Amino acid sequence: MDYLMILVGLLLLLLGANYLVDASVAIAKRLHISDFVIGLTIVGFGTSAPELFVSVSSALRGMGDVAIGNVIGSNICNSLLILGVTAIVCPVLVRGRSLRVDVMTAIALSVLVCAICYFNVVVSGGPMQINRVAGLLLLAILGVYLFKSVKSGRSAEAEEPAPMGRLAKLPIAVLALMAVASLAVLLYGGDMFVDSSVSIARKLGMSDFVISTTIIAVGTSLPELITCVIAAFKKNTQLALGNVVGSNIFNILFILGASATVYPLTVVGVCWVDFAVFIGSMCMVAVSARTFKAQYVDRREGVIMFALYVVYVAYLVMR
């Protein structure tokens, strides 16, 4: 039954991602907003719902390590595994604004989270912590960032018009309903896939630690992974890039912000290596856009990203 549920979950992931991509692109064109910004906001934030649920519920239980570890692990997975696999399928174009503003914003926010965590250590010698004040600060930054992204996204779409897509003639209310329904199917399929995979892993004798650092970490990022791969097959790499960058920014600003506001997060199990990979994985995106094929994360860089993620997971298991 578990193996059957894995297949059903994967099918739901594929169907949900396919229609989510098509509906999101159509909405972008109808509202005259760029594909990148739609990926950055609607798709990026929507596919981060599993991380939001895990982190907030962990915060309510006083499990700060799980809440921040989930965000760090998901962002590393997004930047290395998901963008790497997407680039292998189809090279990802990194335009000037997305690199100059959005990717650099994600890097700056990653550094900010590390600084917040270590602030309590330096000042009082206590454990790493993200308190309510820091949580509210992150939420405030999110509001400003969203406003500026949507505003700039309209001018970007006007400068670089793209094909309308096969769903563009549908009423926008229908497109919005289709996007929400596709997202629900996507998230439900991901949940089914993770639950069945964990059940099989436990029957095979894998420890909870190995399960949490591999299956759960990748599993909560499955919606982003499938959505990006489907978008890459449809040659819409801007939506895929926006999904990855948007998910990373949403994870930091909203998930950590909301979790810390609900209950201050005390961090014990995360070490400096995790923070280094957390920041470095996003820096890798910026570096990739400047090397080999300029303005692209190409297939070679995709393979390198994928290999780095495998090395990091192997390190986690050994640690």
Side-chain angles (χ1 to χ4, degrees):
M1 183 59 70
D2 286 329
Y3 290 101
L4 177 61
M5 289 299 99
I6 283 180
L7 292 176
V8 173
L10 185 58
L11 178 62
L12 292 176
L13 280 166
L14 293 171
L15 287 173
N18 183 57
Y19 284 99
L20 177 62
V21 169
D22 288 343
S24 298
V25 169
I27 290 172
K29 300 313 164 192
R30 293 292 294 275
L31 295 178
H32 303 290
I33 296 174
S34 70
D35 293 343
F36 178 81
V37 171
I38 285 292
L40 193 76
T41 54
I42 297 174
V43 181
F45 290 8
T47 54
S48 288
E51 289 93 334
L52 176 62
F53 175 78
V54 170
S55 292
V56 172
S57 61
S58 299
L60 287 170
R61 297 173 188 173
M63 300 166 63
D65 267 357
V66 175
I68 193 168
N70 178 43
V71 168
I72 289 175
S74 293
N75 279 24
I76 292 170
C77 182
N78 288 344
S79 302
L80 297 182
L81 175 64
I82 295 176
L83 194 58
V85 170
T86 302
I88 291 171
V89 173
C90 181
V92 178
L93 173 63
V94 186
R95 290 196 179 105
R97 185 199 179 276
S98 59
L99 174 62
R100 187 176 65 255
V101 178
D102 302 295
V103 173
M104 298 309 294
T105 296
I107 294 172
L109 291 173
S110 300
V111 174
L112 176 62
V113 167
C114 296
I116 290 172
C117 286
Y118 277 103
F119 180 78
N120 192 51
V121 178
V122 174
V123 172
S124 64
M128 287 188 286
Q129 189 178 65
I130 302 179
N131 58 30
R132 284 194 173 94
V133 174
L136 290 171
L137 173 64
L138 294 175
L139 292 176
I141 294 173
L142 175 64
V144 174
Y145 179 76
L146 283 178
F147 174 77
K148 289 187 173 294
S149 293
V150 173
K151 184 178 178 181
S152 64
R154 288 181 176 273
S155 60
E157 197 274 344
E159 292 170 6
E160 299 181 23
M164 292 292 286
R166 61 191 179 98
L167 301 178
K169 293 182 179 180
L170 293 176
I172 196 163
V174 174
L175 291 172
L177 183 61
M178 183 179 294
V180 171
S182 300
L183 181 60
V185 170
L186 186 69
L187 298 177
Y188 182 74
D191 188 55
M192 184 182 294
F193 185 93
V194 172
D195 288 345
S196 301
S197 299
V198 169
S199 177
I200 292 171
R202 283 184 174 145
K203 289 175 183 176
L204 295 175
M206 291 176 65
S207 69
D208 286 345
F209 175 76
V210 173
I211 291 171
S212 65
T213 53
T214 54
I215 296 173
I216 299 298
V218 176
T220 55
S221 294
L222 268 179
E224 286 99 329
L225 176 60
I226 300 298
T227 300
C228 285
V229 171
I230 293 292
F233 275 117
K234 293 175 180 288
K235 308 297 182 184
N236 197 325
T237 57
Q238 282 298 286
L239 187 78
L241 178 64
N243 185 16
V244 167
V245 177
S247 292
N248 282 5
I249 291 173
F250 180 80
N251 287 347
I252 293 171
L253 294 180
F254 188 67
I255 295 180
L256 278 185
S259 299
T261 302
V262 167
Y263 193 92
L265 306 177
T266 299
V267 186
V268 178
V270 181
C271 74
W272 68 270
V273 175
D274 302 309
F275 282 121
V277 178
F278 176 54
I279 297 171
S281 62
M282 203 64 224
C283 291
M284 180 75 182
V285 179
V287 171
S288 297
R290 301 294 191 187
T291 56
F292 293 117
K293 191 175 182 180
Q295 290 192 317
Y296 281 88
V297 179
D298 61 24
R299 288 188 171 92
R300 286 170 293 186
E301 290 157 338
V303 171
I304 293 171
M305 288 176 167
F306 180 80
L308 288 174
Y309 184 75
V310 171
V311 170
Y312 176 66
V313 170
Y315 159 76
L316 283 178
V317 173
M318 289 188 293
R319 189 175 81 186

